[in-house]
Protein backbone atom coordinates (compact mmCIF):
# COMPACT_ATOMS: atom_id res chain seq x y z
CA UNK A 1 0.00 0.00 0.00
CA UNK A 2 1.33 3.46 -0.73
CA UNK A 3 -0.14 6.86 -0.03
CA UNK A 4 0.87 10.36 -0.98
CA UNK A 5 1.63 12.36 2.11
CA UNK A 6 2.22 16.06 2.27
CA UNK A 7 4.10 18.31 4.59
CA UNK A 8 7.73 18.10 5.59
CA UNK A 9 9.00 18.24 9.17
CA UNK A 10 12.53 19.27 8.18
CA UNK A 11 12.95 22.86 7.10
CA UNK A 12 13.58 22.78 3.37
CA UNK A 13 15.07 25.34 1.00
CA UNK A 14 16.26 25.66 -2.58
CA UNK A 15 19.86 26.61 -3.33
CA UNK A 16 18.80 29.78 -5.12
CA UNK A 17 16.72 31.08 -2.21
CA UNK A 18 19.77 33.25 -1.43
CA UNK A 19 21.94 35.34 -3.74
CA UNK A 20 25.70 35.27 -3.35
CA UNK A 21 25.63 38.90 -2.23
CA UNK A 22 23.07 38.09 0.46
CA UNK A 23 25.18 35.22 1.73
CA UNK A 24 28.40 37.22 1.78
CA UNK A 25 26.61 39.93 3.77
CA UNK A 26 25.16 37.33 6.16
CA UNK A 27 28.57 35.68 6.51
CA UNK A 28 30.22 38.74 8.06
CA UNK A 29 33.19 37.47 10.10
CA UNK A 30 32.10 33.85 10.00
CA UNK A 31 34.85 31.65 8.57
CA UNK A 32 33.89 28.93 6.10
CA UNK A 33 35.97 25.83 5.36
CA UNK A 34 35.27 23.48 2.48
CA UNK A 35 36.47 19.96 3.29
CA UNK A 36 36.79 17.32 0.59
CA UNK A 37 37.60 13.82 1.83
CA UNK A 38 39.27 11.89 -0.96
CA UNK A 39 40.39 8.31 -1.38
CA UNK A 40 41.93 7.61 -4.78
CA UNK A 41 40.08 10.40 -6.57
CA UNK A 42 42.89 11.74 -8.79
CA UNK A 43 40.51 11.81 -11.75
CA UNK A 44 37.95 14.15 -10.20
CA UNK A 45 39.34 15.92 -7.13
CA UNK A 46 41.19 18.54 -9.19
CA UNK A 47 37.98 19.72 -10.85
CA UNK A 48 36.09 19.88 -7.57
CA UNK A 49 38.81 22.02 -5.97
CA UNK A 50 39.59 24.31 -8.89
CA UNK A 51 35.99 25.10 -9.77
CA UNK A 52 35.11 26.03 -6.18
CA UNK A 53 38.32 28.02 -5.85
CA UNK A 54 37.72 30.02 -9.03
CA UNK A 55 34.06 30.73 -8.26
CA UNK A 56 33.94 31.13 -4.47
CA UNK A 57 37.46 31.96 -3.26
CA UNK A 58 39.24 33.93 -5.99
CA UNK A 59 36.33 36.05 -7.22
CA UNK A 60 34.16 36.37 -4.10
CA UNK A 61 34.93 35.77 -0.44
CA UNK A 62 32.44 33.08 0.47
CA UNK A 63 34.86 30.22 1.16
CA UNK A 64 37.94 30.95 3.25
CA UNK A 65 39.80 27.69 2.76
CA UNK A 66 39.55 24.55 0.65
CA UNK A 67 41.03 21.55 2.42
CA UNK A 68 41.38 18.11 0.88
CA UNK A 69 41.89 15.29 3.33
CA UNK A 70 43.72 12.56 1.48
CA UNK A 71 42.35 9.38 2.95
CA UNK A 72 45.11 6.81 2.39
CA UNK A 73 45.16 7.29 -1.36
CA UNK A 74 47.55 5.21 -3.42
CA UNK A 75 47.06 7.26 -6.59
CA UNK A 76 47.99 10.90 -7.39
CA UNK A 77 45.12 12.41 -5.35
CA UNK A 78 47.49 14.37 -3.09
CA UNK A 79 49.47 16.00 -5.91
CA UNK A 80 46.42 16.70 -8.08
CA UNK A 81 44.67 18.42 -5.18
CA UNK A 82 47.76 20.51 -4.39
CA UNK A 83 48.03 21.58 -8.04
CA UNK A 84 44.37 22.59 -8.03
CA UNK A 85 45.02 24.95 -5.14
CA UNK A 86 43.80 23.08 -2.07
CA UNK A 87 45.47 22.78 1.30
CA UNK A 88 46.05 19.04 1.35
CA UNK A 89 46.63 16.85 4.39
CA UNK A 90 47.03 13.12 4.68
CA UNK A 91 44.51 11.87 7.25
CA UNK A 92 47.05 9.51 8.78
CA UNK A 93 49.48 12.39 9.41
CA UNK A 94 47.00 14.64 11.20
CA UNK A 95 47.41 14.31 14.98
CA UNK A 96 49.31 11.02 14.72
CA UNK A 97 49.17 10.83 18.52
CA UNK A 98 45.47 9.99 18.11
CA UNK A 99 46.19 7.01 15.86
CA UNK A 100 44.74 6.43 12.45
CA UNK A 101 41.89 4.49 10.88
CA UNK A 102 40.85 4.00 7.29
CA UNK A 103 37.61 5.59 6.15
CA UNK A 104 35.72 8.66 5.15
CA UNK A 105 34.45 9.49 8.64
CA UNK A 106 38.03 9.39 9.92
CA UNK A 107 39.07 11.90 7.26
CA UNK A 108 36.17 14.19 8.21
CA UNK A 109 36.90 13.93 11.94
CA UNK A 110 40.59 14.62 11.37
CA UNK A 111 39.66 17.65 9.26
CA UNK A 112 38.66 19.46 12.44
CA UNK A 113 42.33 19.57 13.48
CA UNK A 114 43.53 21.29 10.29
CA UNK A 115 40.69 23.71 9.50
CA UNK A 116 39.46 26.78 11.31
CA UNK A 117 36.05 27.47 9.77
CA UNK A 118 33.16 28.24 12.09
CA UNK A 119 31.15 26.41 9.47
CA UNK A 120 32.43 23.34 7.64
CA UNK A 121 31.04 22.31 4.26
CA UNK A 122 31.69 18.74 3.12
CA UNK A 123 31.70 17.69 -0.51
CA UNK A 124 32.62 14.36 -2.06
CA UNK A 125 35.63 14.27 -4.36
CA UNK A 126 34.08 11.93 -6.92
CA UNK A 127 31.38 14.26 -8.25
CA UNK A 128 30.85 14.07 -12.00
CA UNK A 129 27.69 16.15 -12.45
CA UNK A 130 27.52 19.04 -10.02
CA UNK A 131 28.08 22.77 -9.78
CA UNK A 132 29.63 25.24 -7.39
CA UNK A 133 26.21 26.47 -6.25
CA UNK A 134 26.24 23.39 -3.96
CA UNK A 135 28.43 25.35 -1.53
CA UNK A 136 26.36 28.56 -1.18
CA UNK A 137 23.21 26.43 -1.19
CA UNK A 138 24.44 24.47 1.83
CA UNK A 139 25.59 27.63 3.59
CA UNK A 140 22.27 29.46 3.21
CA UNK A 141 20.49 27.98 6.23
CA UNK A 142 23.58 28.07 8.46
CA UNK A 143 24.28 31.71 7.72
CA UNK A 144 20.69 32.88 8.05
CA UNK A 145 18.81 30.48 10.37
CA UNK A 146 20.47 30.51 13.81
CA UNK A 147 18.70 27.41 15.13
CA UNK A 148 20.13 25.20 12.38
CA UNK A 149 23.23 23.13 13.18
CA UNK A 150 23.43 20.80 10.19
CA UNK A 151 22.32 21.25 6.57
CA UNK A 152 21.90 18.31 4.24
CA UNK A 153 21.92 18.57 0.47
CA UNK A 154 19.49 16.71 -1.73
CA UNK A 155 19.34 16.30 -5.46
CA UNK A 156 17.95 14.35 -8.35
CA UNK A 157 20.16 12.10 -10.41
CA UNK A 158 20.44 13.31 -13.99
CA UNK A 159 18.49 11.43 -16.61
CA UNK A 160 16.30 9.52 -14.17
CA UNK A 161 12.52 9.75 -14.35
CA UNK A 162 10.08 8.58 -11.74
CA UNK A 163 10.84 8.14 -8.06
CA UNK A 164 13.82 9.93 -6.53
CA UNK A 165 16.35 7.14 -6.22
CA UNK A 166 18.87 7.94 -3.54
CA UNK A 167 21.25 5.10 -4.36
CA UNK A 168 21.33 1.44 -3.43
CA UNK A 169 22.38 1.76 0.21
CA UNK A 170 20.06 4.72 0.71
CA UNK A 171 17.01 2.81 -0.46
CA UNK A 172 17.83 -0.64 0.93
CA UNK A 173 19.53 0.21 4.23
CA UNK A 174 19.26 3.86 5.28
CA UNK A 175 15.58 4.48 4.57
CA UNK A 176 14.50 1.17 6.13
CA UNK A 177 16.52 2.00 9.27
CA UNK A 178 14.97 5.44 9.38
CA UNK A 179 11.54 3.87 9.00
CA UNK A 180 12.08 1.51 11.91
CA UNK A 181 14.37 3.38 14.28
CA UNK A 182 14.77 7.05 13.40
CA UNK A 183 11.43 8.35 12.09
CA UNK A 184 12.39 11.95 12.89
CA UNK A 185 14.69 11.71 9.84
CA UNK A 186 12.06 10.45 7.42
CA UNK A 187 11.69 13.78 5.60
CA UNK A 188 15.31 13.84 4.50
CA UNK A 189 15.33 13.25 0.78
CA UNK A 190 18.99 12.16 0.54
CA UNK A 191 20.06 11.09 4.04
CA UNK A 192 23.41 9.72 2.82
CA UNK A 193 24.40 12.68 0.64
CA UNK A 194 28.08 13.53 1.03
CA UNK A 195 27.27 17.19 0.47
CA UNK A 196 26.38 18.76 3.81
CA UNK A 197 27.43 21.55 6.10
CA UNK A 198 27.66 21.85 9.85
CA UNK A 199 28.66 24.28 12.54
CA UNK A 200 32.17 23.39 13.72
CA UNK A 201 31.17 23.52 17.40
CA UNK A 202 28.38 21.04 16.75
CA UNK A 203 30.42 18.60 14.65
CA UNK A 204 33.15 18.72 17.29
CA UNK A 205 30.58 17.62 19.88
CA UNK A 206 29.58 14.49 17.95
CA UNK A 207 30.94 10.97 18.07
CA UNK A 208 32.05 10.24 14.50
CA UNK A 209 32.10 6.74 12.99
CA UNK A 210 35.34 6.35 11.04
CA UNK A 211 33.69 4.81 7.99
CA UNK A 212 30.62 5.45 5.89
CA UNK A 213 28.20 5.71 8.83
CA UNK A 214 29.33 9.29 9.46
CA UNK A 215 26.40 10.79 7.54
CA UNK A 216 23.56 8.91 9.18
CA UNK A 217 25.18 9.05 12.62
CA UNK A 218 25.53 12.83 12.40
CA UNK A 219 21.85 13.19 11.57
CA UNK A 220 20.69 10.82 14.32
CA UNK A 221 22.89 12.50 16.92
CA UNK A 222 21.94 16.02 15.86
CA UNK A 223 18.27 15.25 16.38
CA UNK A 224 19.03 13.53 19.70
CA UNK A 225 20.90 16.62 20.94
CA UNK A 226 18.87 19.47 19.46
CA UNK A 227 15.68 18.13 17.87
CA UNK A 228 14.63 18.24 14.23
CA UNK A 229 14.61 22.03 14.17
CA UNK A 230 18.42 21.85 14.13
CA UNK A 231 18.29 20.19 10.70
CA UNK A 232 17.61 21.73 7.32
CA UNK A 233 17.85 20.37 3.81
CA UNK A 234 18.51 22.16 0.55
CA UNK A 235 17.58 21.24 -3.00
CA UNK A 236 20.87 21.34 -4.93
CA UNK A 237 19.43 20.40 -8.31
CA UNK A 238 21.12 17.43 -9.94
CA UNK A 239 24.18 15.46 -8.92
CA UNK A 240 25.99 12.42 -10.23
CA UNK A 241 28.92 10.56 -8.70
CA UNK A 242 31.09 7.50 -9.17
CA UNK A 243 29.46 4.17 -8.28
CA UNK A 244 30.96 1.48 -6.10
CA UNK A 245 30.49 -2.18 -7.01
CA UNK A 246 27.52 -3.80 -5.26
CA UNK A 247 29.69 -6.07 -3.13
CA UNK A 248 31.76 -3.12 -1.86
CA UNK A 249 28.54 -1.43 -0.82
CA UNK A 250 28.00 -4.42 1.49
CA UNK A 251 30.77 -2.97 3.69
CA UNK A 252 29.03 0.41 3.75
CA UNK A 253 25.79 -1.30 4.75
CA UNK A 254 27.49 -3.13 7.63
CA UNK A 255 28.98 0.12 8.94
CA UNK A 256 25.63 1.88 8.82
CA UNK A 257 23.77 -1.02 10.45
CA UNK A 258 26.41 -1.28 13.20
CA UNK A 259 26.10 2.42 13.95
CA UNK A 260 22.32 2.23 14.08
CA UNK A 261 22.30 -0.78 16.37
CA UNK A 262 24.84 0.89 18.69
CA UNK A 263 22.51 3.86 18.98
CA UNK A 264 19.51 1.64 19.71
CA UNK A 265 21.05 -0.03 22.73
CA UNK A 266 18.35 1.63 24.80
CA UNK A 267 16.29 -1.46 23.99
CA UNK A 268 13.45 0.32 22.23
CA UNK A 269 11.88 -1.93 19.64
CA UNK A 270 10.65 -1.10 16.18
CA UNK A 271 6.86 -1.11 15.68
CA UNK A 272 5.58 -4.66 15.81
CA UNK A 273 2.89 -4.87 13.16
CA UNK A 274 3.30 -1.98 10.76
CA UNK A 275 6.15 0.18 9.52
CA UNK A 276 6.00 3.27 7.36
CA UNK A 277 8.68 3.59 4.69
CA UNK A 278 8.93 7.10 3.30
CA UNK A 279 10.28 7.35 -0.23
CA UNK A 280 10.19 10.34 -2.56
CA UNK A 281 8.87 11.41 -5.92
CA UNK A 282 10.35 14.48 -7.62
CA UNK A 283 9.19 17.69 -6.00
CA UNK A 284 10.09 16.23 -3.54
CA UNK A 285 6.76 14.58 -2.82
CA UNK A 286 6.89 12.09 0.03
CA UNK A 287 5.36 8.73 -0.74
CA UNK A 288 4.64 6.53 2.25
CA UNK A 289 4.41 2.76 2.03
CA UNK A 290 2.68 1.14 4.96
CA UNK A 291 4.36 -2.23 5.39
CA UNK A 292 3.15 -5.17 7.46
CA UNK A 293 5.78 -6.56 9.80
CA UNK A 294 3.43 -9.03 11.50
CA UNK A 295 4.75 -12.33 12.87
CA UNK A 296 2.72 -15.44 13.42
CA UNK A 297 3.44 -17.47 16.57
CA UNK A 298 4.68 -21.03 16.17
CA UNK A 299 1.95 -23.04 14.45
CA UNK A 300 2.37 -26.00 16.83
CA UNK A 301 0.20 -24.24 19.41
CA UNK A 302 -2.73 -24.38 16.99
CA UNK A 303 -2.25 -27.88 15.56
O1 LIG B 1 37.97 5.53 2.89
C1 LIG B 1 37.45 6.43 2.24
C2 LIG B 1 36.40 6.20 1.33
C3 LIG B 1 35.87 7.26 0.64
N1 LIG B 1 36.35 8.51 0.82
C4 LIG B 1 35.80 9.62 0.04
O2 LIG B 1 34.47 9.87 0.45
C5 LIG B 1 33.69 10.36 -0.62
C6 LIG B 1 32.48 9.48 -0.83
O3 LIG B 1 32.89 8.15 -0.98
P1 LIG B 1 32.21 7.15 -2.01
O4 LIG B 1 32.91 5.84 -1.91
O5 LIG B 1 32.12 7.79 -3.34
O6 LIG B 1 30.77 7.02 -1.37
P2 LIG B 1 29.37 6.66 -2.06
O7 LIG B 1 29.34 5.26 -2.52
O8 LIG B 1 29.10 7.70 -3.06
O9 LIG B 1 28.43 6.83 -0.76
C7 LIG B 1 27.39 7.73 -0.45
O10 LIG B 1 26.98 7.34 0.86
C8 LIG B 1 28.01 7.40 1.84
C9 LIG B 1 27.44 6.90 3.16
O11 LIG B 1 26.60 7.82 3.76
C10 LIG B 1 28.51 8.81 1.95
O12 LIG B 1 29.59 8.82 2.85
C11 LIG B 1 28.95 9.32 0.57
O13 LIG B 1 29.36 10.66 0.69
C12 LIG B 1 27.80 9.19 -0.40
O14 LIG B 1 28.16 9.67 -1.67
C13 LIG B 1 34.63 10.35 -1.85
O15 LIG B 1 35.15 11.62 -2.03
C14 LIG B 1 35.69 9.37 -1.43
O16 LIG B 1 36.93 9.57 -2.09
C15 LIG B 1 37.35 8.76 1.72
O17 LIG B 1 37.76 9.90 1.91
N2 LIG B 1 37.87 7.71 2.41
O1 LIG C 1 24.18 6.57 -1.61
C1 LIG C 1 24.04 5.33 -1.75
O2 LIG C 1 23.00 4.73 -1.52
C2 LIG C 1 25.27 4.56 -2.17
O3 LIG C 1 26.35 5.43 -2.22
C3 LIG C 1 25.12 3.89 -3.48
O4 LIG C 1 24.81 4.82 -4.47
P1 LIG C 1 24.70 4.31 -5.99
O5 LIG C 1 23.67 3.24 -6.04
O6 LIG C 1 24.30 5.56 -6.72
O7 LIG C 1 26.05 3.85 -6.40
Amino acid sequence: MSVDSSGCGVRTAHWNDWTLDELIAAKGDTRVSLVVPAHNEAGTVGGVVSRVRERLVDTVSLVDEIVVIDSDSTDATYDVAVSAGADVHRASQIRPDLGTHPGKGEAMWKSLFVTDGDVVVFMDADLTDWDTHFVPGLLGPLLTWPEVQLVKGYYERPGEDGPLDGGRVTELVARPLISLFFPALRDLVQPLAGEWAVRRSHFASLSVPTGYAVELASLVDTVAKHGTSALAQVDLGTRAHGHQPLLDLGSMAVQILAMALQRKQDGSLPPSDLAVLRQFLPGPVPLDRVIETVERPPAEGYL
Side-chain angles (χ1 to χ4, degrees), residues 37-39 41 69 71 102-104 107 124-126 192-194 212 214-215 239 241-242 244 249 252 256:
H39 173 72
E41 306 287 9
I69 307 295
S71 170
K104 185 194 184 204
D124 285 355
D126 66 337
L192 298 191
Y212 283 112
V214 52
E215 271 77 32
R239 167 205 192 260
H241 68 138
Q244 298 195 52
L249 289 180
M252 181 188 291
I256 292 174

Side-chain angles (χ1 to χ4, degrees), residues 7 42-43 51 101 140-141 150 178 239 260 274 288:
R51 285 172 63 187
H101 295 276
L150 191 159
I178 287 170
R239 167 205 192 260
L274 288 176
D288 286 350

